[in-house]
Amino acid sequence: RQMAYLRGNDFRAVDLREIQAHLEHGHPLPPKAVGITFDDGFAYNYTAAFPVLAKHVLPATIFLAAGFIGADVLPVLRDRSGIRPLTWDQVHEMARGGVAFGAHTMSHRSLTGLPPDELRQEIEQSRDVVAERVGAPADTFCYPRGHVDERVAQATRDAGFAIACTTLPGSVPADTDPYLLRRTFVARDDTLHDFARKLDGSFDLLHAARQRLGGAPAPS
Protein backbone atom coordinates (compact mmCIF):
# COMPACT_ATOMS: atom_id res chain seq x y z
CA ARG A 1 0.00 0.00 0.00
CA GLN A 2 2.84 2.40 0.75
CA MET A 3 4.59 1.80 -2.55
CA ALA A 4 1.29 1.99 -4.43
CA TYR A 5 0.72 5.33 -2.67
CA LEU A 6 4.01 6.63 -4.08
CA ARG A 7 3.03 5.55 -7.57
CA GLY A 8 -0.52 6.88 -7.27
CA ASN A 9 0.51 10.29 -5.94
CA ASP A 10 3.20 11.20 -8.46
CA PHE A 11 6.22 10.59 -6.24
CA ARG A 12 9.36 9.66 -8.14
CA ALA A 13 11.68 7.13 -6.49
CA VAL A 14 15.31 7.89 -7.32
CA ASP A 15 18.58 6.08 -6.74
CA LEU A 16 20.87 7.48 -4.05
CA ARG A 17 23.45 8.22 -6.73
CA GLU A 18 20.98 10.64 -8.31
CA ILE A 19 20.70 12.39 -4.95
CA GLN A 20 24.49 12.47 -4.67
CA ALA A 21 24.78 13.99 -8.17
CA HIS A 22 22.23 16.60 -7.16
CA LEU A 23 24.13 17.54 -4.01
CA GLU A 24 27.61 17.45 -5.54
CA HIS A 25 26.98 18.81 -9.03
CA GLY A 26 23.56 20.43 -8.98
CA HIS A 27 21.96 17.87 -11.27
CA PRO A 28 18.20 18.44 -11.02
CA LEU A 29 15.93 15.94 -9.31
CA PRO A 30 12.35 15.33 -10.45
CA PRO A 31 9.49 16.87 -8.46
CA LYS A 32 8.47 14.85 -5.38
CA ALA A 33 11.66 12.79 -5.47
CA VAL A 34 12.09 10.15 -2.75
CA GLY A 35 14.80 7.63 -1.93
CA ILE A 36 13.92 4.17 -0.58
CA THR A 37 16.42 2.49 1.74
CA PHE A 38 16.59 -0.53 4.05
CA ASP A 39 19.17 -1.06 6.78
CA ASP A 40 21.04 -4.17 7.93
CA GLY A 41 20.10 -6.84 5.37
CA PHE A 42 17.22 -8.88 6.75
CA ALA A 43 15.87 -11.87 4.83
CA TYR A 44 12.45 -10.24 4.58
CA ASN A 45 14.02 -7.59 2.36
CA TYR A 46 14.06 -10.41 -0.19
CA THR A 47 10.86 -12.27 0.70
CA ALA A 48 8.59 -9.27 1.38
CA ALA A 49 10.08 -6.06 -0.05
CA PHE A 50 11.74 -7.22 -3.26
CA PRO A 51 8.54 -8.51 -4.94
CA VAL A 52 6.79 -5.21 -4.17
CA LEU A 53 9.68 -3.11 -5.48
CA ALA A 54 9.74 -5.21 -8.65
CA LYS A 55 5.96 -4.93 -9.10
CA HIS A 56 6.05 -1.14 -8.90
CA VAL A 57 9.46 -0.79 -10.67
CA LEU A 58 10.98 1.20 -7.82
CA PRO A 59 14.73 1.57 -7.14
CA ALA A 60 15.98 0.99 -3.60
CA THR A 61 19.23 0.63 -1.67
CA ILE A 62 19.87 -1.98 1.03
CA PHE A 63 22.74 -1.29 3.45
CA LEU A 64 24.36 -4.57 4.46
CA ALA A 65 25.90 -5.37 7.83
CA ALA A 66 28.33 -7.42 5.79
CA GLY A 67 29.71 -9.68 8.50
CA PHE A 68 26.28 -11.20 9.14
CA ILE A 69 25.08 -11.87 5.59
CA GLY A 70 24.65 -15.61 5.09
CA ALA A 71 24.76 -16.29 8.87
CA ASP A 72 22.02 -17.86 10.98
CA VAL A 73 20.78 -14.63 12.59
CA LEU A 74 21.29 -10.89 12.23
CA PRO A 75 21.56 -9.71 15.85
CA VAL A 76 21.22 -5.97 15.38
CA LEU A 77 17.65 -5.17 16.46
CA ARG A 78 17.10 -4.15 20.06
CA ASP A 79 13.39 -5.07 20.19
CA ARG A 80 13.43 -8.26 18.14
CA SER A 81 15.99 -11.04 17.93
CA GLY A 82 16.59 -14.15 15.90
CA ILE A 83 15.54 -12.68 12.55
CA ARG A 84 17.46 -14.22 9.68
CA PRO A 85 19.73 -12.15 7.45
CA LEU A 86 19.89 -12.27 3.70
CA THR A 87 22.00 -14.85 1.93
CA TRP A 88 24.49 -13.78 -0.69
CA ASP A 89 22.45 -15.65 -3.32
CA GLN A 90 19.46 -13.48 -2.43
CA VAL A 91 21.65 -10.39 -2.64
CA HIS A 92 22.83 -11.43 -6.10
CA GLU A 93 19.27 -11.99 -7.33
CA MET A 94 18.12 -8.62 -6.06
CA ALA A 95 21.15 -6.90 -7.59
CA ARG A 96 20.22 -8.44 -10.94
CA GLY A 97 16.72 -7.08 -10.36
CA GLY A 98 17.93 -3.51 -9.94
CA VAL A 99 18.36 -3.20 -6.16
CA ALA A 100 21.50 -1.33 -5.11
CA PHE A 101 23.62 -2.32 -2.12
CA GLY A 102 25.66 -0.17 0.23
CA ALA A 103 27.89 -0.83 3.22
CA HIS A 104 26.72 -0.75 6.85
CA THR A 105 29.97 -1.88 8.57
CA MET A 106 30.94 -5.48 9.31
CA SER A 107 29.48 -5.96 12.79
CA HIS A 108 26.98 -3.09 13.22
CA ARG A 109 28.92 -1.59 16.13
CA SER A 110 28.44 2.07 16.97
CA LEU A 111 31.32 3.83 15.22
CA THR A 112 31.68 6.92 17.38
CA GLY A 113 33.41 5.09 20.25
CA LEU A 114 35.84 2.98 18.22
CA PRO A 115 39.60 3.55 18.13
CA PRO A 116 40.96 4.67 14.74
CA ASP A 117 42.13 1.25 13.50
CA GLU A 118 38.84 -0.46 14.31
CA LEU A 119 36.87 2.42 12.84
CA ARG A 120 38.71 2.13 9.52
CA GLN A 121 38.38 -1.65 9.51
CA GLU A 122 34.61 -1.59 10.08
CA ILE A 123 34.09 0.93 7.29
CA GLU A 124 36.65 -0.20 4.71
CA GLN A 125 36.25 -3.95 5.13
CA SER A 126 32.49 -3.70 4.71
CA ARG A 127 33.04 -1.60 1.58
CA ASP A 128 35.35 -4.24 0.13
CA VAL A 129 33.19 -7.24 1.07
CA VAL A 130 30.00 -5.74 -0.38
CA ALA A 131 31.77 -4.66 -3.57
CA GLU A 132 33.36 -8.07 -4.07
CA ARG A 133 30.23 -10.10 -3.34
CA VAL A 134 27.85 -7.86 -5.31
CA GLY A 135 30.24 -7.29 -8.19
CA ALA A 136 29.81 -3.51 -8.19
CA PRO A 137 31.42 -0.63 -6.29
CA ALA A 138 29.99 -0.05 -2.82
CA ASP A 139 29.96 3.75 -2.76
CA THR A 140 27.04 4.37 -0.39
CA PHE A 141 27.22 3.98 3.38
CA CYS A 142 24.91 4.02 6.38
CA TYR A 143 26.01 4.69 9.98
CA PRO A 144 24.87 1.96 12.41
CA ARG A 145 22.10 3.34 14.65
CA GLY A 146 22.76 6.71 13.02
CA HIS A 147 25.74 7.35 15.31
CA VAL A 148 28.08 9.78 13.56
CA ASP A 149 30.44 12.56 14.48
CA GLU A 150 32.98 14.49 12.43
CA ARG A 151 35.67 11.83 12.93
CA VAL A 152 33.36 9.08 11.67
CA ALA A 153 32.14 11.19 8.75
CA GLN A 154 35.75 11.95 7.78
CA ALA A 155 36.67 8.25 7.89
CA THR A 156 33.74 7.58 5.58
CA ARG A 157 34.96 10.26 3.17
CA ASP A 158 38.49 8.87 3.33
CA ALA A 159 37.16 5.39 2.46
CA GLY A 160 35.86 6.76 -0.84
CA PHE A 161 32.12 6.66 -0.22
CA ALA A 162 30.11 9.15 -2.23
CA ILE A 163 27.23 9.51 0.21
CA ALA A 164 26.34 8.41 3.73
CA CYS A 165 23.02 8.18 5.56
CA THR A 166 22.03 9.07 9.10
CA THR A 167 18.80 8.18 10.92
CA LEU A 168 17.80 11.82 11.49
CA PRO A 169 14.40 12.48 9.91
CA GLY A 170 13.87 15.14 7.30
CA SER A 171 14.15 16.14 3.69
CA VAL A 172 17.32 16.71 1.69
CA PRO A 173 17.77 20.32 0.56
CA ALA A 174 20.44 21.23 -1.95
CA ASP A 175 22.92 22.36 0.73
CA THR A 176 22.87 19.00 2.58
CA ASP A 177 26.25 17.50 3.48
CA PRO A 178 26.46 14.30 1.35
CA TYR A 179 27.81 12.47 4.40
CA LEU A 180 24.90 13.49 6.65
CA LEU A 181 21.92 12.50 4.54
CA ARG A 182 18.64 12.64 6.46
CA ARG A 183 16.07 9.84 6.22
CA THR A 184 12.63 9.49 7.72
CA PHE A 185 12.02 6.18 9.46
CA VAL A 186 8.95 4.22 8.37
CA ALA A 187 7.76 1.94 11.17
CA ARG A 188 6.11 -1.42 10.62
CA ASP A 189 2.96 -0.18 12.41
CA ASP A 190 2.64 3.11 10.48
CA THR A 191 -0.77 3.62 8.93
CA LEU A 192 -1.08 4.91 5.39
CA HIS A 193 -2.01 8.26 6.92
CA ASP A 194 1.24 8.21 8.94
CA PHE A 195 3.15 7.40 5.75
CA ALA A 196 1.55 10.34 3.94
CA ARG A 197 2.45 12.69 6.82
CA LYS A 198 6.06 11.57 6.63
CA LEU A 199 6.12 12.26 2.90
CA ASP A 200 4.59 15.74 3.15
CA GLY A 201 6.96 16.82 5.94
CA SER A 202 4.45 17.25 8.76
CA PHE A 203 6.08 14.38 10.67
CA ASP A 204 9.36 16.34 10.64
CA LEU A 205 7.65 19.30 12.31
CA LEU A 206 6.19 17.01 14.98
CA HIS A 207 9.56 15.36 15.59
CA ALA A 208 11.28 18.76 15.95
CA ALA A 209 8.61 19.89 18.43
CA ARG A 210 9.04 16.72 20.50
CA GLN A 211 12.80 17.29 20.59
CA ARG A 212 12.31 20.89 21.81
CA LEU A 213 9.99 19.63 24.54
CA GLY A 214 12.43 16.91 25.57
CA GLY A 215 10.38 14.04 24.21
CA ALA A 216 11.74 10.74 22.94
CA PRO A 217 13.33 10.81 19.48
CA ALA A 218 11.87 8.95 16.54
CA PRO A 219 12.93 5.29 16.25
CA SER A 220 16.29 4.62 14.61
Side-chain angles (χ1 to χ4, degrees):
R1 292 174 63 209
Q2 291 170 351
M3 298 302 100
Y5 183 90
L6 294 180
R7 278 296 191 198
N9 289 273
D10 300 321
F11 287 92
R12 172 73 181 276
V14 297
D15 185 270
L16 290 186
R17 291 173 182 83
E18 294 180 68
I19 297 175
Q20 187 268 335
H22 171 67
L23 297 178
E24 288 287 321
H25 308 294
H27 294 179
L29 289 171
K32 300 178 78 172
V34 296
I36 301 170
T37 62
F38 300 85
D39 290 2
D40 306 326
F42 295 102
Y44 55 67
N45 294 161
Y46 174 80
T47 58
F50 182 44
V52 176
L53 295 169
K55 174 183 177 181
H56 293 284
V57 195
L58 296 170
T61 298
I62 299 175
F63 294 104
L64 299 176
F68 298 119
I69 303 305
D72 291 332
V73 294
L74 184 49
V76 302
L77 288 181
R78 288 164 284 182
D79 59 338
R80 290 177 288 163
S81 61
I83 299 178
R84 296 188 64 83
L86 292 163
T87 68
W88 287 112
D89 285 344
Q90 290 169 335
V91 169
H92 296 155
E93 182 177 346
M94 286 191 286
R96 291 193 297 270
V99 176
F101 290 90
H104 194 38
T105 72
M106 292 300 295
S107 65
H108 203 266
R109 289 189 291 170
S110 175
L111 297 177
T112 51
L114 294 183
D117 288 348
E118 293 182 36
L119 174 64
R120 286 194 301 271
Q121 181 179 17
E122 285 282 352
I123 294 173
E124 296 177 7
Q125 187 177 357
S126 66
R127 174 201 63 196
D128 295 344
V129 168
V130 173
E132 179 181 359
R133 298 303 296 260
V134 175
D139 55 4
T140 60
F141 188 79
C142 176
Y143 305 108
R145 302 183 178 89
H147 295 174
V148 57
D149 55 20
E150 179 51 41
R151 185 178 69 104
V152 171
Q154 186 60 53
T156 306
R157 296 186 193 96
D158 293 343
F161 288 99
I163 201 165
C165 294
T166 72
T167 57
L168 294 172
S171 59
V172 183
D175 60 351
T176 298
D177 185 330
Y179 297 92
L180 296 173
L181 198 71
R182 288 177 174 263
R183 298 180 301 165
T184 297
F185 177 81
V186 178
R188 65 184 185 272
D189 57 352
D190 278 354
T191 65
L192 200 59
H193 177 67
D194 295 332
F195 186 66
R197 291 176 69 208
K198 290 181 175 182
L199 285 166
D200 69 20
S202 56
F203 171 83
D204 300 334
L205 297 176
L206 175 63
H207 177 81
R210 289 181 68 192
Q211 286 186 317
R212 286 196 298 271
L213 293 172
S220 61

